[in-house]
Amino acid sequence: MQTEHTGLKRHLKVRHIRLMALGSTIGVGLFLGSASAIKIAGPSILLGYLLAGIVAFIVLRTLGEMAVHEPVAGSFAAYANTYVGPLAGYMVGWGYWTYWIVVGIAEVTAVGIYMGIWFPETPQWIWALSSILMMGLINLIAVKVFGEFEFWFALIKVVAIVAMIALGAAVILFGFTNDWTPIGLSNLWKHGGFFPNGISGMLLSLQMVLFAYVGIEMIGLSAGEAENPRKTIPMAIDSLAWRILIFYMGAILVILAIFPWNEVGQQGSPFVVMFERIGLREAAGIINFVVITAALSSCNAGIFSGGRLLYALSTNGYAPSPFAKLSKYGVPHRAVIATVAVCMSGVVLNYFVPDKAFQYVMAAVTFIGLMVWIAILVTQIQFRRSLTKDQVEQLGYRAPWWPYSSWFALAFIGLVVVMMGFHEDARIALVLGPCLLGLYLIMFYLAGLHHKTKLNRKFQ
């Protein structure tokens, strides 16, 4: 199904989509959130990133299967509406829009923390406000320009991570900046072992680890504006999964090998601290710049995703009709402006509770993101069940190891949700998350949508 009639422009190339999804994922989860996860799990966080990476790959492939079969702008909200029901489509669409709102807040909160290293006297909320306004303006440009901007923005942090891993490897293997005495990998087990806080420590860290990967699914939202989506989506997905796994595993391995896990602080980025520890203060400043651009890039992608979701909800009758209006450049400008306006709540959070803002937001975004992943997996199971054997054989892009992979991913995510109840900072999300879902359920019934059947059946 094509979407030209909606006014959206198919101007996103495979390199745009690949870097957009990579950019949305490599953000605060890696650069800032990894510090909290390392404190809980120690070196065993590497195992957590590996397991979570496998689950992320499964989710991405199940989404890719549906996106290639039916490349529409509403992505998994559209598929939930079609294969599960209108309520599911409504809940997933609004839930994922909320997710990107919270991601935007998390990213601009991180910008405030990073900028505090250079400008400690400037209030954190000022940087948050400036970031949201700047990213909002970029999202009002034509999608082709946005895609190009995001491509280069994301490329900065990708190149930086590769260089960082290479430099760290030189320290570990050859002793660069350490009088040419190799550091080796002994820090992975010298300070309390690989599991210093036991298996439970690794399990407790999984919600933070999954937070790092949540966002990878935004690749499905680009299907409605991708050139030749049946070709570009599989190419982007297949290259994206292993790249993210390497970036996360490689970067965290370097940090844990260079200095003891129990010395990784929670003030600022552990990557900046790493370079300061090995005597490269200039490099630490560069890395601080990179992590700021990383957070801005992820926020930028979040506003893009939120705007497209609100547009899709509106075209299907699930949101006010004015949000379906497009600018002359094919941008859902009203939906983008509304998304940015709600993101402004993050400025308030940074004003009143700057010290706890990131922890609260990370917990909330993880819960919503995991609910979206569950919705994707359940929808794909229903999608497969709706197909005949011949139709399955004709699928242009199939999820591997089905149905075992989908059920494994669901079980893993269920475990993470349970473990959130044992983590003090994450426990609040188990209260706020269901309340949010309840709010959307009430909205669904107050709007009278339960009397309609499938509406347009598919988001356009």
Side-chain angles (χ1 to χ4, degrees):
M1 177 177 293
Q2 300 299 308
T3 60
E4 281 82 351
H5 64 281
T6 66
L8 291 176
K9 309 297 183 182
R10 288 196 180 276
H11 288 162
L12 292 179
K13 302 179 185 296
V14 66
R15 66 184 179 90
H16 293 146
I17 296 170
R18 187 178 292 161
L19 265 294
M20 280 169 59
L22 197 58
S24 68
T25 306
I26 299 179
V28 295
L30 175 61
F31 289 117
L32 187 60
S34 56
S36 300
I38 291 171
K39 181 180 179 181
I40 295 173
S44 66
I45 196 66
L46 289 168
L47 178 59
Y49 275 112
L50 176 61
L51 292 173
I54 293 171
V55 172
F57 172 72
I58 292 171
V59 171
L60 197 58
R61 285 296 298 264
T62 57
L63 175 59
E65 178 179 286
M66 295 184 288
V68 171
H69 179 72
E70 193 173 350
V72 296
S75 189
F76 37 86
Y79 311 139
N81 182 72
T82 301
Y83 300 106
V84 181
L87 176 59
Y90 184 91
M91 299 283 278
V92 171
W94 277 108
Y96 199 53
W97 180 76
T98 305
Y99 162 77
W100 279 114
I101 292 293
V102 180
V103 165
I105 294 172
E107 300 294 353
V108 298
T109 298
V111 171
I113 293 173
Y114 299 147
M115 292 299 291
I117 295 176
W118 289 336
F119 305 99
E121 302 301 322
T122 304
Q124 190 170 302
W125 68 269
I126 291 180
W127 300 117
L129 176 62
S130 303
S131 302
I132 291 175
L133 291 177
M134 181 172 66
M135 294 302 100
L137 289 174
I138 290 171
N139 269 271
L140 293 174
I141 306 173
V143 68
K144 186 176 182 178
V145 179
F146 161 81
E148 203 65 36
F149 179 90
E150 184 62 19
F151 172 82
W152 293 105
F153 221 10
L155 190 62
I156 291 174
K157 57 186 173 185
V158 171
V159 171
I161 291 175
V162 172
M164 197 160 42
I165 292 173
L167 183 59
V171 176
I172 295 166
L173 299 176
F174 307 112
F176 176 65
T177 74
N178 192 45
D179 294 328
W180 299 106
T181 302
I183 292 178
L185 300 175
S186 61
N187 276 330
L188 295 180
W189 57 82
K190 278 175 58 177
H191 306 278
F194 189 72
F195 293 91
N197 296 322
I199 298 293
S200 61
M202 190 272 289
L203 293 176
L204 284 171
S205 71
L206 287 178
Q207 64 95 6
M208 297 180 183
V209 172
L210 273 185
F211 166 72
Y213 288 113
V214 170
I216 194 174
E217 71 290 330
M218 80 154 287
I219 200 168
L221 293 177
S222 63
E225 293 167 272
E227 290 182 353
N228 192 6
R230 290 181 173 85
K231 178 182 178 181
T232 56
I233 296 297
M235 289 177 61
I237 288 176
D238 289 341
S239 64
L240 183 63
W242 65 264
R243 289 184 185 192
I244 288 181
L245 194 59
I246 288 176
F247 287 147
Y248 275 96
M249 295 284 289
I252 299 299
L253 176 62
V254 164
I255 290 175
L256 292 173
I258 289 179
F259 56 92
W261 67 271
N262 52 5
E263 293 182 17
V264 177
Q266 295 191 65
Q267 296 299 317
S269 168
F271 293 87
V272 175
V273 176
M274 183 190 79
F275 281 101
E276 289 179 342
R277 281 289 302 272
I278 61 178
L280 298 177
R281 290 192 174 275
E282 296 80 5
I286 295 173
I287 292 300
N288 197 51
F289 166 76
V290 170
V291 296
I292 289 171
T293 61
L296 290 174
S297 170
S298 190
C299 175
N300 195 28
I303 293 174
F304 170 88
S305 301
R308 268 57 184 181
L309 271 166
L310 191 55
Y311 164 79
L313 286 163
S314 180
T315 58
N316 207 49
Y318 287 167
S321 58
F323 295 133
K325 186 175 178 58
L326 299 174
S327 70
K328 63 180 180 179
Y329 301 109
V331 174
H333 58 293
R334 292 183 178 180
V336 169
I337 291 172
T339 299
V340 171
V342 179
C343 280
M344 290 293 184
S345 61
V347 178
V348 178
L349 193 64
N350 277 271
Y351 180 82
F352 286 105
V353 285
D355 296 333
K356 284 290 185 179
F358 184 74
Q359 286 86 348
Y360 290 160
V361 169
M362 188 168 71
V365 78
T366 301
F367 180 85
I368 299 172
L370 294 184
M371 292 302 100
V372 170
W373 278 20
I374 290 173
I376 291 172
L377 292 165
V378 171
T379 300
Q380 189 259 352
I381 290 173
Q382 293 298 105
F383 165 71
R384 275 294 190 102
R385 288 175 176 174
S386 72
L387 302 179
T388 65
K389 185 177 180 180
D390 290 339
Q391 288 174 323
V392 172
E393 292 297 325
Q394 292 172 6
L395 288 174
Y397 188 63
R398 281 187 278 178
W401 316 303
W402 192 87
Y404 307 108
S405 57
S406 297
W407 287 110
F408 167 76
L410 281 172
F412 185 89
I413 295 171
L415 171 64
V416 172
V417 172
V418 171
M419 295 307 298
M420 288 177 71
F422 294 91
H423 193 282
E424 184 178 354
D425 289 336
R427 200 173 298 141
I428 188 173
L430 295 181
V431 177
L432 295 178
C435 289
L436 181 65
L437 295 178
L439 174 62
Y440 286 147
L441 182 63
I442 293 171
M443 289 168 54
F444 180 81
Y445 279 92
L446 288 178
L449 297 175
H450 59 292
H451 293 307
K452 300 181 180 181
T453 58
K454 300 290 185 184
L455 292 184
N456 295 328
R457 188 155 178 84
K458 300 179 178 68
F459 285 36
Q460 299 299 315

